[in-house]
Amino acid sequence: MGLRDQRRPVRGRDALFGRVETALSAPGTRLVQVLCGLGGSGKTTVALELVSRRLAHAEQVWWVDARHETTLEAGLRAVARQAGAPEEQLRGGDTADVLWSYLAQYERPWLLVVDNADDPALLDGPGKLSEGTGWIRLPADSRGGVLVTTRDSAPQTWGGVCALHPVRPLTGDDITDAVQILRDHAGEMAGSSDDARLLARRLGGLPLALSLAGTYLADANTVPAPYREPDTPVDFRSYQAALDRGLEHVDRDNVITQTWAMSLKLLDQRGLPLARPLLRLIATFADAPLPYTLLLTPHALAAAGELAHLDGPAVWRLLTALAGLGLIDLQPADSGALPTLRVHPLVRDASIDEATLGTAVSALHNAAFADETGVPEEPDYWDHWRLLQPHVVDLFHRAAASELPVQRIDDAASAAHFAARYLRVKGLYGQARSLFEAVLAHERALLGDTHPETLATRHTLARVVHDLGELEQARSEFEAVLAHERAIYGDTHPDTLTTRHQLARVVHDLGELEQARGEFEAVLAHERALLGETHPETLATRHELAGVLRDLGELEQARGEYEAVLAHERAILGDTHPETLATWHNLAGVVRDLGELEQARGEYEAVLAHERAILGDTHPHTLATWHNLAGVVRDLGELEQARGEFEAVLAHERAILGDTHPYTLATQHELANLRQPRAVD
């Protein structure tokens, strides 16, 4: 009880206290109650608080240390003696049977606490814990209770005789309790509430880390400034800055590091030495949900050194062992999504090893190009790339700044190209541009200006520049890429045709309609001959040509082209593929131009519903459809509804695309002229 700090209340555990107290007080035969969780999460603190409440009611409490077999057995023998067992019985019979026989006869209410049972095998004794025949068993009646603290949260370890109560870090949307633990230990002079909140999140709400940080700052502030070591943190903000430079800067006694080391040593003892390098590899990825069924498969780990020989069951055994001790958190997948794992920020800090960066890049590259990962343009694989993208970006930038072999850096760049394509297709044009520019700089330096990979990246970057509305720069980039491709591949190579197609799109948007029409018609003729009538590239060019025809006023011909393309896309891609929706959207525009407003409204509403479901409310394509639907509503005379729709679209466009993007300017124009006659769409 000397370890219980009566000056500082236990924070954030009221619900847990209620559940455990109820279980320990239940009538009839009670299960063994197990407090389980990550080292440093406060299991012993919770147990001490529960014990304090029992002692306040004059109950008998025994506390046994289960870290070592000798201390465990000695402690339980002492409990048996205090429960009334004669020494000769303890020497002559099965000690566990004698202990539980006398506890069954004990007249006072009692509680047996078995602390630090991190190796549950020690609790088996002469029998089996999970079968109720080990050192720890079910109390025989309602007068007794058993409480165990452990890092091992695997249900199969404890069997049906135990009830598990996870003791988790104090995280989530409301981290008030974690902040208050910092303040309880640091005092009111260590910084603002906002800084305390940021530090509490950085520490992952781990009670041990929160109390150590607060105590550190309180101690630092007792030392007059002239006598402190240089760069000593004295407030929440400087402590976080020191932690970001490395855990060793604030954990000088290695208390936190040793906490994780004890768990890994336990896995070594269980015959799982590869859990240690696997945790180091996991920590090397970004601090984001890790899609382990993509990144930690035998295929992905094929070049991962000592992990390379692991098969699927072996990898899963290591992952579940790490999760069982709280070193990682295996998070269940939402419906249709991939399962992920998370690492506590401080476990990551203590485990990260830059020597494993090359291994992580190799695993990432293998995962990015695996068939099951898919390409980022296909909606079926967007969830994969949503989860991979933060790891790709983080590892690419770290690899580019490292001394890894050139091949490894190139592997990271190849994966980053895919991630940038995902960002573009999701409408995150600014992020996509930055990543493409970084990849392009690497490829130019390593491969040269005319290498196919360099040209492919420059081409896709030009598409992003076009998406951002910077038409003249996009035109210059496409023209430069096209000159190289014509010189290398010729005029009719598929890559050349794709660049010609994209350049024609820019020319169209610049208002040079006849030039755009001629280029699209030339590209379309080649694509029909080389690829066939229903190839996606052929359909895309036919779609763009229809747009030029529409702007030239040839509305019936444009309508026929859109309807033909839409029929093919529905048959090949399905009704809700982004390419299908784009054609459907533009067909609705032609229908509107032809004055069929009610039909146009219905088409736009159908497209918008699909885009909201697939792309989200704020994707540029969704906003474009929403904008055009508002225009139809305006043309139908529903002016107030149209005003509200345009205002909503404009707010999103300003936030996402900026004030000067053509889409934003078009919506501003619509609002400014809402009550004036509409001459041109």
Side-chain angles (χ1 to χ4, degrees):
M1 291 303 294
L3 295 174
R4 180 172 175 267
D5 189 345
Q6 299 183 50
R7 300 168 300 166
R8 300 182 178 97
V10 180
R11 306 276 185 185
R13 302 302 189 194
D14 290 345
L16 177 61
F17 287 142
R19 288 195 298 272
V20 180
E21 283 280 17
T22 298
L24 287 172
S25 304
T29 302
R30 301 167 183 165
L31 298 179
V32 175
Q33 306 303 313
V34 180
L35 298 172
C36 54
L38 179 66
S41 59
K43 302 179 293 294
T44 297
T45 299
V46 171
L48 280 169
E49 184 63 25
L50 292 166
V51 164
S52 174
R53 299 179 184 189
R54 291 296 171 118
L55 292 176
H57 291 90
E59 294 187 18
Q60 174 65 52
V61 178
W62 292 287
W63 187 287
V64 175
D65 187 341
R67 280 175 289 190
H68 306 288
E69 186 175 13
T70 52
T71 56
L72 172 66
E73 184 170 351
L76 292 175
R77 283 178 174 273
V79 172
R81 283 192 291 270
Q82 291 188 26
E87 190 64 39
E88 58 271 18
Q89 275 191 265
L90 291 173
R91 286 198 301 266
D94 185 315
T95 305
D97 286 344
V98 173
L99 166 66
W100 289 97
S101 172
Y102 277 86
L103 284 176
Q105 302 170 42
Y106 201 74
E107 295 182 354
R108 289 174 57 194
W110 57 268
L111 175 66
L112 172 61
V113 180
V114 182
D115 191 29
N116 290 313
D118 298 329
D119 184 0
L122 298 181
L123 303 183
D124 284 340
K128 188 77 172 173
L129 166 70
S130 60
E131 296 174 0
T133 59
W135 272 118
I136 303 303
R137 304 178 184 179
L138 291 172
D141 57 39
S142 60
R143 286 174 300 187
V146 181
L147 181 65
V148 178
T149 74
T150 179
R151 300 176 188 221
D152 195 327
S153 58
Q156 62 270 24
T157 299
W158 302 96
V161 299
C162 302
L164 302 186
H165 301 275
V167 184
R168 297 186 174 91
L170 300 169
T171 55
D173 294 334
D174 185 1
I175 58 166
T176 302
D177 292 310
V179 171
Q180 194 55 53
I181 292 174
L182 270 177
R183 289 206 173 278
D184 288 344
H185 290 82
E188 295 300 319
M189 303 300 291
S192 69
S193 295
D194 286 343
D195 288 344
R197 188 172 299 277
L198 289 172
L199 178 56
R201 288 199 185 281
R202 177 64 178 82
L203 295 171
L206 190 71
L208 172 64
L210 295 166
S211 61
L212 287 174
T215 301
Y216 181 106
L217 294 174
D219 290 345
N221 281 297
T222 64
V223 179
Y227 303 111
R228 294 184 197 132
E229 292 184 19
D231 299 323
T232 297
V234 293
D235 57 26
F236 300 130
R237 182 174 296 184
S238 57
Y239 189 96
Q240 181 168 343
L243 177 58
D244 289 341
R245 293 196 301 272
L247 185 58
E248 67 276 6
H249 293 288
V250 292
D251 187 27
R252 292 174 181 169
D253 294 329
N254 288 324
V255 175
I256 295 173
T257 303
Q258 288 174 7
T259 299
W260 320 139
M262 290 168 60
S263 296
L264 290 170
K265 183 179 179 181
L266 186 59
L267 292 178
D268 288 341
Q269 294 169 354
R270 294 180 181 179
L272 299 170
L274 293 181
R276 193 182 298 267
L278 182 59
L279 181 60
R280 284 199 297 266
L281 175 61
I282 291 169
T284 305
F285 289 103
D287 186 11
L290 187 77
Y292 58 87
T293 57
L294 294 178
L295 286 169
L296 300 179
T297 64
H299 171 74
L301 298 175
E306 58 193 324
L307 301 174
H309 71 278
L310 295 173
D311 59 14
V315 175
W316 182 241
R317 185 181 179 205
L318 294 175
L319 289 172
T320 53
L322 289 167
L325 295 184
L327 293 169
I328 63 174
D329 180 15
L330 295 176
Q331 300 177 328
D334 296 330
S335 177
L338 292 177
T340 60
L341 66 80
R342 289 301 301 255
V343 185
H344 189 280
L346 295 182
V347 176
R348 185 173 183 272
D349 290 337
S351 305
I352 194 167
D353 181 356
E354 286 301 318
T356 65
L357 179 60
T359 301
V361 168
S362 174
L364 180 69
H365 180 268
N366 290 344
F369 288 88
D371 290 341
E372 58 268 23
T373 301
V375 294
E377 286 78 15
E378 288 299 321
D380 288 348
Y381 299 109
W382 284 351
D383 185 57
H384 296 187
W385 284 100
R386 174 183 63 84
L387 293 167
L388 284 174
Q389 176 261 323
H391 301 285
V392 174
V393 174
D394 179 71
L395 289 185
F396 167 64
H397 287 303
R398 284 161 57 196
S402 74
E403 297 182 0
L404 285 177
V406 169
Q407 182 58 54
R408 282 286 169 265
I409 301 174
D410 197 42
D411 287 346
S414 298
H417 181 100
F418 269 47
R421 284 164 52 186
Y422 166 76
L423 292 170
R424 176 182 177 266
V425 80
K426 294 297 287 181
L428 301 171
Y429 300 139
Q431 294 179 45
R433 180 180 195 164
S434 296
L435 187 53
F436 274 129
E437 287 173 342
V439 173
L440 182 61
H442 161 77
E443 289 174 341
R444 278 178 155 157
L446 180 67
L447 305 172
D449 273 352
T450 60
H451 190 280
E453 289 183 23
T454 308
L455 292 175
T457 300
R458 193 174 179 187
H459 170 103
T460 318
L461 174 58
R463 294 183 70 174
V464 175
V465 173
H466 184 189
D467 293 332
L468 287 166
E470 300 174 24
L471 301 182
E472 289 295 349
Q473 184 176 347
R475 181 178 197 160
S476 296
E477 287 298 305
F478 280 128
E479 287 173 343
V481 172
L482 183 58
H484 288 306
E485 289 177 337
R486 277 178 160 150
I488 297 167
Y489 307 130
D491 232 20
T492 60
H493 187 278
D495 288 354
T496 309
L497 292 176
T498 300
T499 303
R500 289 176 66 183
H501 169 109
Q502 294 299 331
L503 177 57
R505 289 183 65 238
V506 177
V507 170
H508 176 191
D509 288 347
L510 285 166
E512 302 173 24
L513 300 182
E514 288 298 343
Q515 183 179 342
R517 179 179 191 163
E519 190 60 20
F520 278 131
E521 287 174 341
V523 170
L524 182 58
H526 289 305
E527 288 176 336
R528 278 174 160 155
L530 294 169
L531 305 174
E533 190 68 44
T534 60
H535 189 280
E537 295 292 335
T538 309
L539 294 175
T541 302
R542 199 172 172 188
H543 169 278
E544 294 295 337
L545 178 57
V548 176
L549 294 173
R550 176 191 176 191
D551 290 343
L552 285 167
E554 300 176 25
L555 298 182
E556 289 296 347
Q557 187 176 349
R559 181 178 194 162
E561 286 298 301
Y562 277 134
E563 287 174 341
V565 171
L566 184 60
H568 287 307
E569 288 177 336
R570 280 177 158 155
I572 297 167
L573 303 173
D575 271 356
T576 60
H577 190 281
E579 297 294 332
T580 309
L581 294 175
T583 304
W584 193 355
H585 167 276
N586 287 326
L587 174 59
V590 175
V591 171
R592 176 190 177 188
D593 293 344
L594 288 165
E596 302 171 25
L597 297 183
E598 288 294 350
Q599 183 178 343
R601 180 180 195 162
E603 299 295 331
Y604 277 133
E605 287 174 341
V607 173
L608 184 60
H610 288 307
E611 287 178 335
R612 280 178 157 154
I614 296 166
L615 303 175
D617 270 357
T618 59
H619 190 285
H621 293 179
T622 309
L623 294 175
T625 304
W626 194 354
H627 169 107
N628 288 329
L629 175 59
V632 173
V633 171
R634 191 270 321 272
D635 292 347
L636 286 166
E638 301 173 27
L639 301 185
E640 287 305 318
Q641 182 178 343
R643 181 190 299 276
E645 297 297 322
F646 278 129
E647 287 174 344
V649 171
L650 182 61
H652 288 307
E653 288 174 338
R654 280 176 162 158
I656 296 163
L657 302 173
D659 281 345
T660 61
H661 191 280
Y663 284 7
T664 311
L665 295 174
T667 305
Q668 286 177 317
H669 176 79
E670 293 288 358
L671 275 170
N673 296 284
L674 188 60
R675 297 185 183 278
Q676 298 180 13
R678 183 184 181 90
V680 180
D681 178 12

